[in-house]
């Protein structure tokens, strides 16, 4: 199976390429793969993993001619579309640029995939990574994958929804996978932010009224590769298991585990973490959802293995992270 992965300089694209490489090397799958991103050459974490040495194509997904040229030349069996604008607050001031990436860029990929699907004997599949931000984040009931009650709160959510619709309205062989609270080795995330500010502060406040579950890109990449070798298409939700928590709960566990791994600057004697409401914390430029609970039962119903517990994922992540 030939796989084309966009956004390999980001957290998830990095791990998808490495998962494809590992399965090929271990003979648990047979894949050829190409990564792409905007930079002239791979610009993600120089960690010596397979993605740093994998075939790479520089691609501006907002350029329809370039997308069509590259994908028709590559002839992939599946496109895993990880590239996206994800800076949520910054998006509020750059709506047109964000729409070019998340909406137009996705439409360009979709158009090329549709041509590939029509012209190749075995067709072409697409994976689109989306977000709970396509909903309004209200209530306490977990969002189901097939819920169509879309009410994005901000520019990021609106443009990701537009990307979803571009995929679902034009293609048949697609996986739309919504995720939340993402962390990975390559790039910025909440864990890295907490560890950095925890070094220089003895007291932090973290919101406790936004509820969801973290997603470790290393674990998610395994699920995505499990998906692409099937024809169990449709909408899915995927985060780590372990129940729903607040950002405050997440921060407390980050510091507890970091201290247990030999970093006393994060223990309770050196650092206090206090819960606050979103209102008390102060309004961010983009509105944030209070309810990021995602119902993941469809994974099991369709024969996929759920992601491990988030505390276990956090432990594995911290043991690999240099901090």
């Amino acid at each position: 199976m030939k796989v084309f992965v966009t956004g390999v300089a980001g957290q998830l694209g990095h791990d998808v390429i490495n998962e494809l490489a590992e399965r090929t090397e271990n003979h648990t799958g047979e894949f050829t793969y190409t990564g792409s991103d905007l930079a002239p050459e791979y610009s993600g974490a120089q960690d010596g993993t397979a993605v740093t040495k994998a075939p790479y194509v520089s691609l501006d997904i907002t350029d329809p001619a370039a997308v069509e040229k590259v994908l028709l030349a590559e002839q992939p069996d599946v496109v895993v579309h990880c590239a996206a604008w994800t800076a949520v607050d910054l998006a509020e001031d750059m709506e047109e640029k964000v729409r070019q990436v998340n909406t137009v860029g996705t439409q360009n990929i979709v158009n090329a995939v549709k041509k590939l699907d029509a012209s190749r004997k075995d067709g072409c599949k697409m994976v689109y990574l989306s977000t709970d931000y396509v909903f309004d984040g209200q209530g306490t009931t977990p969002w189901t994958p097939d819920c169509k009650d879309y009410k994005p709160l901000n520019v990021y959510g609106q443009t990701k929804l537009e990307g979803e619709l571009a995929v679902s309205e034009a293609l048949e062989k697609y996986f739309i996978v919504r995720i939340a609270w993402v962390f990975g080795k390559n790039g910025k995330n909440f864990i890295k932010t907490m560890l950095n500010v925890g070094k220089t502060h003895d007291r932090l406040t973290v919101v406790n009224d936004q509820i969801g579950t973290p997603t470790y890109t290393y674990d998610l990449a395994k699920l995505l590769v499990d998906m692409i070798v099937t024809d169990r298409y449709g909408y899915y939700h995927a985060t780590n298991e372990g129940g729903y928590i607040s950002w405050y709960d997440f921060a407390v566990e980050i510091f507890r585990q970091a201290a247990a791994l030999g970093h006393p600057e994060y223990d309770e004697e050196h650092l206090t973490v206090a819960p606050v409401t979103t209102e008390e914390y102060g309004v961010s430029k983009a509105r944030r959802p209070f309810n990021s609970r995602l119902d993941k039962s469809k994974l099991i119903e369709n024969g996929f293995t759920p992601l491990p517990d988030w505390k276990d994922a956090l432990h594995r992540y911290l043991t690999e992270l240099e901090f």
Side-chain angles (χ1 to χ4, degrees), residues 59-271:
L59 179 61
D60 178 357
I61 62 169
T62 69
D63 180 343
V67 171
E68 181 171 319
K69 181 181 178 182
V70 166
L71 286 181
L72 293 186
E74 288 287 329
Q75 290 285 309
D77 298 296
V78 58
V79 176
V80 181
H81 183 35
C82 302
W85 179 293
T86 57
V88 177
D89 285 327
L90 195 57
E92 294 298 300
D93 293 327
M94 307 181 74
E95 182 168 355
E96 192 45 48
K97 187 167 185 179
V98 177
R99 180 160 281 110
Q100 280 296 309
V101 177
N102 290 350
T103 307
V104 176
T106 300
Q107 185 67 62
N108 292 337
I109 299 278
V110 166
N111 292 344
V113 168
K114 192 170 184 179
K115 283 194 174 182
L116 285 167
D117 190 48
S119 64
R120 303 173 79 249
K121 180 184 176 186
D122 296 323
C124 183
K125 310 174 184 182
M126 181 169 175
V127 179
Y128 175 76
L129 279 302
S130 194
T131 169
D132 67 282
Y133 278 53
V134 301
F135 305 116
D136 67 7
Q138 302 303 304
T140 58
T141 304
W143 302 101
T144 60
D146 296 304
C147 173
K148 298 292 190 286
D149 188 18
Y150 306 125
K151 291 178 186 172
L153 298 176
N154 51 45
V155 169
Y156 168 69
Q158 179 62 37
T159 57
K160 288 299 290 181
L161 172 59
E162 290 163 5
E164 275 196 18
L165 297 174
V167 174
S168 64
E169 289 172 1
L171 304 177
E172 293 180 2
K173 299 172 185 171
Y174 65 82
F175 302 89
I176 291 174
V177 184
R178 298 195 192 101
I179 56 181
W181 299 18
V182 178
F183 67 94
K185 190 174 177 182
N186 188 22
K188 298 175 182 178
N189 58 59
F190 180 75
I191 299 172
K192 290 181 180 179
T193 299
M194 288 295 101
L195 293 173
N196 286 334
V197 297
K199 286 178 182 174
T200 55
H201 294 72
D202 56 12
R203 187 179 187 277
L204 297 175
T205 56
V206 184
V207 296
N208 68 343
D209 56 358
Q210 297 175 23
I211 309 299
T213 322
T215 310
Y216 185 17
T217 54
Y218 177 86
D219 295 334
L220 177 61
K222 292 182 179 298
L223 172 65
L224 297 182
V225 178
D226 287 345
M227 283 183 168
I228 64 174
V229 297
T230 76
D231 57 4
R232 286 165 248 166
Y233 305 117
Y235 290 80
Y236 290 92
H237 288 166
T239 66
N240 284 87
E241 295 296 310
Y244 303 116
I245 59 169
S246 69
W247 287 110
Y248 165 76
D249 299 325
F250 194 18
V252 168
E253 183 64 15
I254 290 166
F255 294 132
R256 188 194 71 77
Q257 289 200 22
L261 286 169
H263 296 270
E265 65 269 29
Y266 299 116
D267 66 26
E268 292 180 352
E269 290 183 18
H270 295 88
L271 180 61

Side-chain angles (χ1 to χ4, degrees), residues 23-63:
R23 293 199 192 190
T24 301
E25 193 174 309
N26 295 341
H27 306 292
T28 54
E30 193 170 332
F31 301 97
T32 56
Y33 41 84
T34 300
S36 78
D37 219 299
L38 192 55
E41 55 190 30
Y42 173 74
S43 61
Q46 298 296 332
D47 55 6
T49 58
V51 66
T52 63
K53 302 179 280 286
Y56 177 89
V57 177
S58 173
L59 179 61
D60 178 357
I61 62 169
T62 69
D63 180 343

